[in-house]
Amino acid sequence: MYKVWAIIRREFVERVRTKWFWVSAILGPVLFAGIIVFQIMQSVGGGVRKIAIVDAGKLGYGTRIVEALGASRTIRADGVQLGPAVLDSLTSLVEAKQLNGFLIVDDSLPADGKAEYRASNLSLQTTEELQRTLNRVVEKARLEGKTVDGKALSERVKERLSKMG
């Protein structure tokens, strides 16, 4: 066993003496740190993102999303009704960098909870904020669909309380 350790030690010392060992030992972590910093800078993104909300339905979920994004400091949203060639013109605006992306919603949003976002460059910050906004709008729409008349609710509560006691 002593001979094995002697061989390992000798090989290690021989490797450490080369200049390429030290170059890779210094440049490796520097390159990894540079990649991490670059990714962070890309995810933070710069400034306000301009997007369009395309409402493909008749129930006005696109308007609700635009209103919900009105308080956002990082996204400026404008509502657009779906019509002929609207998606093509929005795609050309995204390609020309005049628009960061567009979100397509329809009347099945509360049931599915799904929307389609098209952009030339996806930012983690933008997608997270859009996801949070969509979740709030979907939750509100689902609750509105499940409302119960206050009078009927109080009668049900009284009925159950009388059965219990």
Side-chain angles (χ1 to χ4, degrees):
M1 191 65 164
Y2 177 74
K3 292 179 182 178
V4 172
W5 284 112
I7 293 171
I8 291 172
R9 183 176 174 271
R10 181 186 175 282
E11 288 295 322
F12 178 73
V13 169
E14 287 297 318
R15 302 271 185 216
V16 169
R17 286 186 183 169
T18 65
K19 68 178 177 180
W20 285 111
F21 173 83
W22 291 105
V23 168
S24 64
I26 293 170
L27 284 182
V30 169
L31 287 175
F32 281 123
I35 290 170
I36 290 170
V37 168
F38 178 75
Q39 290 294 327
I40 290 171
M41 296 301 288
Q42 288 294 322
S43 70
V44 169
V48 178
R49 318 254 319 144
K50 184 178 176 186
I51 66 169
I53 308 296
V54 181
D55 195 350
K58 294 182 170 95
L59 298 177
Y61 293 117
T63 307
R64 292 181 186 189
I65 294 169
V66 170
E67 290 171 0
L69 287 171
S72 172
R73 288 178 274 147
T74 58
I75 296 177
R76 196 176 93 217
D78 296 318
V80 178
Q81 275 298 109
L82 184 64
V86 168
L87 295 180
D88 293 334
S89 64
L90 288 174
T91 302
S92 64
L93 288 174
V94 169
E95 289 172 355
K97 305 273 187 216
Q98 294 176 353
L99 193 64
N100 293 103
F102 57 96
L103 181 73
I104 305 168
V105 295
D106 59 10
D107 290 340
S108 67
L109 181 66
D112 299 347
K114 295 180 183 177
E116 182 179 353
Y117 182 62
R118 297 182 188 176
S120 61
N121 186 11
L122 288 177
S123 164
L124 182 63
Q125 182 182 11
T126 304
T127 54
E128 285 178 352
E129 186 159 357
L130 284 174
Q131 185 67 42
R132 283 192 304 269
T133 303
L134 282 173
N135 286 341
R136 283 193 311 260
V137 169
V138 165
E139 183 178 319
K140 188 174 179 180
R142 286 177 181 169
L143 286 174
E144 287 172 356
K146 301 284 183 186
T147 57
V148 178
D149 183 24
K151 183 179 178 184
L153 182 62
S154 64
E155 288 175 9
R156 287 183 191 164
V157 170
K158 287 178 187 177
E159 183 179 314
R160 289 202 180 176
L161 286 174
S162 66
K163 286 182 181 179
M164 294 173 92

